[in-house]
């Protein structure tokens, strides 16, 4: 994985010293809250509903066991014993004290981490596929390129005051596991007819109040031009992106306003000056960076079938089916540790679990972990022969729920429990649905489905691209939930369609149940929920959900909403 050099260490240390002084001045009232605000945001510190919240970047989701242990330490020493892994491969601590934040940042720096550029109108954490480097369907490992982008974008003087935040995702495999279509720039590795490696460049995807799937502006960009081309895109955006209206400031709005062709023309024109400049990636430079990601010392192992060896153990079989993924090296597998146990907010991990996951990484997976954008943790390099032992250990700490990709593997933002922008709570909705469907055979029967929940239109919980999306809305001060279906991430990304008037919190489990009933009735063999929705359209689902009022304990709830 990446390593800081002497300059990184120096810059991060100096930054903490400045910040420590700023915090001290705020505490002494020498700085007003308004003066302090941009200073703290530049260091990832938000003010939320109850307390300060610190967001820490995990570059492209890759963590060492040492770094994970540091998260456990922070959770224990400075927070309430847990942290929240987010869809952007970050971790958030929700209960930190202002005066302790310089110490937290200092502790983080000791393991080569920071919270710089996790907020503000700059290029944020570059995200990637959690199976990068090990996926069987990978063309090349995207992480060296993600690292190039990280080094280039961190502290980039020209791009620290963009019209709005900027998110870049990069994928190196045939299957898109980095949700590139919903990023400001989405890059995917492709091979051209001559067999050369390059990138397909998508721009202008994003969610929030105007959800848009990105447009391809270049089918093939030779890889040495990655930085210069991205820089050209950034320059066009920086120059023409709207600064007068925060809600129209993302690059997706600019792209729609000028049209893909014109936008592409401007980028290509800008690129003419940059192409072949000093930022063109040389072989030497790429080799230097690729060296950080050299494959681990894999043993020569015979491929085995752990399912056959434990054929009588159904629980283990379920876990293998859902949480274990193929690996390109024979005899190895990638394992997803589920942070979606019923009764726990999706993405939350306790200090004990974090320490434990770090131990598992040391003992089973070369001391590395990854954070997924579905808010789970991956051990990418586990020998197949050790899967049974790993499963038993992970189960004991509540990390082996066999639900990856299933209904209870929900994405969920912090919503009204923490977030000051929320219109409604989201965690209790996730819990109520998880409890209602906490039956593993049923979940396996329903098959792959993405249930994504956001507490407001900002869409931090990816509701637009959920097979079922739930959005918290405010109506006259009350919390309601709007439901959309048919959204998808990945290679066939799509924005879901709203099915009709919104529901009360109590109605939500029944709404999900009704949607699933229509699916079970209408599905053809092997068809996933989203395929059925896309084949039939929203109407049959909508009709059935709204056919009769949803009652609870004999009492109608919220029926006036669609009477
Ligand atoms: C609690 C503090 C948070 C605040 C104040 C916050 C704020 C926002 C805002 C204002 C937007 C809309 C940006 C725009 O359209 O210009 C947004 C988008 C987003 N945030 Fe958050 N967020 C928070 C937490 C999270 C968490 C916990 C996650 C992951 C679970 C997350 C992931 C995202 C994602 C994926 C998007 C939408 C992607 C896009 O911008 O197109 N955020 N957030
Ligand atoms: S979607 Fe809204 S409620 Fe949820 S974290 Fe984002 S800003 Fe907060």
């Amino acid at each position: 994985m990446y390593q800081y050099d002497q300059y990184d260490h120096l810059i991060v240390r100096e930054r903490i010293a400045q910040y420590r002084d700023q915090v001290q001045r705020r505490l002494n009232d020498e700085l007003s809250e308004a003066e302090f605000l941009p200073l703290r945001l530049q260091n990832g510190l938000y003010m939320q509903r109850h307390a300060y919240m610190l967001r820490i970047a995990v570059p492209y989701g890759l963590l060492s066991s040492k770094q994970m242990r540091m998260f456990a330490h922070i959770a224990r020493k400075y927070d309430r014993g847990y942290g929240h892994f987010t869809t952007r491969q970050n971790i958030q601590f929700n209960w930190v004290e202002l005066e302790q934040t310089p110490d937290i940042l200092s502790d983080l720096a000791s393991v080569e981490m920071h919270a710089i550029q996790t907020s503000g109108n700059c290029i944020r954490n570059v995200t990637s596929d959690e199976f990068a480097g090990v996926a069987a369907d990978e063309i090349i490992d995207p992480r060296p390129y993600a690292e190039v982008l990280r080094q280039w974008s961190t502290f980039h003087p020209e791009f620290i005051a963009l019209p709005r935040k900027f998110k870049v995702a990069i994928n190196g495999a045939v299957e898109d596991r980095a949700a590139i279509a919903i990023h400001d720039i989405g890059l995917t590795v492709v091979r051209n007819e001559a067999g050369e490696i390059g990138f397909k460049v998508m721009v202008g995807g994003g969610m929030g109040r105007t959800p848009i799937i990105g447009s391809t502006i270049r089918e093939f960009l030779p890889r040495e031009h990655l930085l210069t081309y991205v820089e050209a895109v950034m320059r066009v955006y920086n120059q023409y992106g709207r600064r007068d209206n925060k809600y129209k400031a993302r690059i997706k709005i600019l792209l729609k306003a000028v049209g893909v062709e014109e936008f592409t023309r401007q980028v290509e024109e800008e690129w003419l000056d940059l192409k072949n400049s000093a930022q063109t990636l040389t072989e030497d430079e790429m080799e230097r960076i690729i060296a950080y990601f050299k494959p681990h010392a894999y043993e020569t192992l015979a491929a085995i079938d752990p399912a056959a060896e434990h054929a009588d153990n159904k629980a283990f079989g379920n876990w293998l089916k859902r949480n274990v993924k193929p690996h390109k090296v024979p005899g190895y597998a990638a394992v997803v540790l589920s942070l979606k146990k019923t009764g726990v907010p999706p993405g939350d991990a306790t200090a004990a679990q974090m320490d434990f996951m770090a131990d598992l990484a040391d003992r089973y997976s070369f001391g590395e972990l990854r954070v997924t954008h579905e808010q789970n943790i991956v051990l990418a390099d586990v020998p197949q022969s050790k899967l049974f032992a790993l499963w038993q250990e992970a189960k004991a700490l509540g990390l082996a729920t066999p639900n990856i990709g299933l209904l209870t593997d929900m994405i969920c933002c912090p919503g009204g429990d923490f977030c000051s922008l929320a219109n409604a709570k989201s965690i209790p909705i996730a819990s109520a649905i998880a409890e209602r469907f906490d039956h593993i055979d049923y979940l396996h029967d329903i098959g792959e489905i993405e249930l994504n929940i956001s507490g407001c239109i900002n869409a931090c919980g990816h509701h637009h691209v959920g097979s079922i999306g739930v959005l918290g809305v405010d109506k006259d001060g009350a919390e309601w939930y709007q439901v959309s279906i048919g959204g998808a991430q990945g290679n066939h990304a799509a924005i879901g369609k709203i099915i009709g008037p919104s529901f009360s919190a109590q109605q939500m489990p029944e709404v999900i149940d009704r949607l699933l009933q229509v699916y079970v009735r209408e599905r053809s063999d092997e068809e996933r929920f989203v395929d059925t929705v896309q084949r039939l359209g929203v109407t049959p689902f909508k009709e059935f959900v709204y056919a009769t009022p949803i009652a609870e304990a004999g009492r109608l709830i919220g029926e006036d909403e669609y009477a």
Side-chain angles (χ1 to χ4, degrees):
M1 62 184 289
Y2 71 87
Q3 277 157 25
Y4 279 15
D5 60 21
Q6 77 214 71
Y7 305 106
D8 296 309
H9 280 292
L10 188 69
I11 292 169
V12 172
R13 289 273 171 217
E14 283 180 352
R15 179 70 173 256
I16 295 166
Q18 287 168 358
Y19 174 72
R20 192 179 288 282
D21 184 52
Q22 290 156 0
V23 169
Q24 199 49 54
R25 283 187 285 150
R26 172 72 194 113
L27 291 169
N28 297 345
D29 256 342
E30 291 159 32
L31 286 177
S32 67
E33 183 52 29
E35 287 167 325
F36 183 58
L37 179 119
L39 304 173
R40 68 168 156 80
L41 286 177
Q42 281 165 24
N43 292 288
L45 190 68
Y46 285 75
M47 171 60 94
Q48 285 304 309
R49 199 163 282 241
H50 312 289
Y52 283 106
M53 180 277 280
L54 184 69
R55 178 182 293 152
I56 300 153
V58 181
Y60 33 91
L62 186 63
L63 273 174
S64 67
S65 55
K66 207 167 146 189
Q67 292 171 329
M68 183 63 110
R69 271 190 203 99
M70 183 53 81
F71 288 164
H73 163 77
I74 291 169
R76 208 173 268 128
K77 182 165 176 194
Y78 305 103
D79 203 283
R80 297 194 177 173
Y82 69 98
H84 177 72
F85 289 97
T86 82
T87 47
R88 301 219 68 261
Q89 297 180 316
N90 295 317
I91 187 170
Q92 295 185 174
F93 289 102
N94 281 303
W95 298 100
V96 297
E97 300 286 347
L98 175 60
E99 44 272 55
Q100 295 192 311
T101 52
D103 291 340
I104 303 178
L105 293 178
S106 182
D107 287 355
L108 282 170
S110 72
V111 294
E112 306 189 346
M113 299 202 101
H114 61 68
I116 296 161
Q117 288 188 206
T118 59
S119 173
N121 297 334
C122 54
I123 302 175
R124 304 281 190 90
N125 192 24
V126 175
T127 54
S128 189
D129 175 8
E130 60 266 21
F131 300 113
V134 304
D137 67 336
E138 191 161 87
I139 301 164
I140 57 159
D141 186 347
R143 292 172 305 173
Y145 292 94
E147 174 60 11
V148 165
L149 287 165
R150 183 184 79 88
Q151 294 188 11
W152 164 83
S153 60
T154 309
F155 296 115
H156 196 303
E158 196 177 331
F159 305 131
I160 48 167
L162 293 165
R164 197 73 181 89
K165 59 159 104 170
F166 205 89
K167 301 176 177 179
V168 182
I170 180 163
N171 181 56
V174 174
E175 191 189 333
D176 168 24
R177 284 178 291 262
I180 55 169
I182 49 163
H183 282 78
D184 296 293
I185 296 183
L187 299 158
T188 195
V189 172
V190 284
R191 217 183 268 281
N192 68 6
E193 281 169 9
E196 293 153 345
I197 299 284
F199 297 98
K200 184 171 98 165
V201 183
M202 288 175 96
V203 174
M207 293 183 288
R209 69 184 59 221
T210 317
I212 298 179
I213 298 296
S215 307
T216 301
I217 64 162
R218 205 172 225 277
E219 291 290 346
F220 187 83
L221 175 74
R223 54 175 151 175
E224 64 271 25
H225 297 307
L226 179 69
L227 287 189
T228 54
Y229 200 80
V230 170
E231 181 145 337
V233 174
M234 301 305 306
R235 283 194 174 174
V236 172
Y237 171 55
N238 204 12
Q239 189 170 358
Y240 300 110
R242 286 183 65 165
R243 287 185 153 87
D244 59 326
N245 182 341
K246 189 177 171 186
Y247 302 116
K248 298 205 161 132
R250 301 285 296 270
I251 195 172
K252 61 190 174 186
I253 306 291
L254 172 66
L255 195 99
K256 285 291 160 207
V258 299
V260 182
E261 274 174 28
E262 174 56 17
F263 181 84
T264 310
R265 192 194 63 72
Q266 292 188 16
V267 170
E268 295 282 329
E269 192 178 294
E270 185 70 41
W271 189 44
L272 282 181
D273 290 337
L274 294 163
K275 192 178 172 184
N276 302 325
S277 67
Q279 291 201 64
T280 306
L281 296 168
T282 61
E283 291 281 318
D284 282 356
E285 172 64 355
M286 279 322 296
E287 268 172 33
R288 181 181 75 85
I289 293 185
I290 287 169
Y292 296 139
F293 301 92
K294 58 180 182 299
H296 294 295
Y298 295 112
E299 290 171 60
T300 310
L301 300 173
I304 61 160
D305 182 3
E309 284 184 10
H310 299 273
D312 53 340
N313 192 329
K314 188 166 173 237
F316 180 55
N318 282 340
W319 183 75
L320 287 175
K321 220 183 302 168
R322 294 309 328 172
N323 300 36
V324 177
K325 307 289 173 188
H327 194 291
K328 65 183 175 192
V329 178
Y332 285 85
V335 169
V336 189
L337 298 172
S338 172
L339 297 182
K340 310 294 175 65
K341 191 174 156 65
T342 298
V344 178
D348 275 11
T350 63
Q353 284 177 322
M354 290 192 252
D355 269 339
F356 181 71
M357 289 190 282
D359 280 358
L360 291 180
D362 283 341
R363 285 187 285 120
Y364 293 100
S365 195
F366 299 104
E368 274 181 11
L369 311 99
R370 292 113 182 273
V371 183
T372 82
H373 85 265
E374 284 95 357
Q375 305 178 283
N376 291 308
I377 301 293
V378 164
L379 299 176
D381 300 287
V382 181
Q384 287 171 330
S385 59
K386 294 187 176 168
L387 287 171
F388 190 73
L390 170 60
W391 171 69
Q392 286 179 310
E393 291 203 50
K395 206 156 54 107
L397 266 264
L399 295 164
T401 312
N403 62 350
I404 300 307
L406 303 180
L407 184 71
T408 53
D409 183 15
M410 300 169 205
I411 292 179
C412 180
C413 80
D417 287 289
F418 297 101
C419 182
S420 47
L421 304 179
N423 284 327
K425 291 204 170 66
S426 51
I427 294 170
I429 302 298
S431 311
I433 296 170
E435 264 161 43
R436 168 85 169 248
F437 300 100
D438 192 20
H439 189 297
I440 208 67
D441 287 340
Y442 180 68
L443 293 179
H444 278 249
D445 174 46
I446 295 302
E448 284 185 13
I449 186 163
E450 276 159 25
L451 177 58
N452 296 352
I453 309 175
S454 301
C456 79
I457 195 64
N458 286 320
C460 303
H462 285 205
H463 66 277
H464 295 296
V465 291
S467 323
I468 300 175
V470 178
L471 165 65
V473 288
D474 170 86
K475 281 197 209 168
D476 302 326
E479 300 188 358
W480 289 84
Y481 298 88
Q482 192 179 70
V483 174
S484 55
I485 57 174
Q489 56 160 325
N491 296 42
H492 304 286
I495 305 292
K497 292 199 175 65
I498 298 165
I499 62 169
S502 38
F503 304 95
S504 66
Q506 296 90 321
Q507 287 173 317
M508 281 312 300
E510 176 65 16
V511 171
I512 305 298
D513 192 73
R514 290 183 182 193
L515 290 170
L516 295 175
Q517 283 185 49
V518 178
Y519 162 61
V520 170
R521 196 177 69 211
E522 302 289 343
R523 70 179 160 186
S524 56
D525 286 352
E526 302 293 312
E527 203 177 40
R528 295 171 310 159
F529 177 87
V530 64
D531 302 326
T532 310
V533 175
Q534 289 177 357
R535 177 169 57 81
L536 296 177
V538 173
T539 310
F541 293 90
K542 179 182 175 134
E543 281 174 1
F544 188 68
V545 170
Y546 293 97
T548 54
I550 296 173
E552 187 198 39
R555 191 170 59 85
L556 293 174
I557 355 165
E559 79 278 17
D560 55 316
E561 279 302 302
Y562 53 92

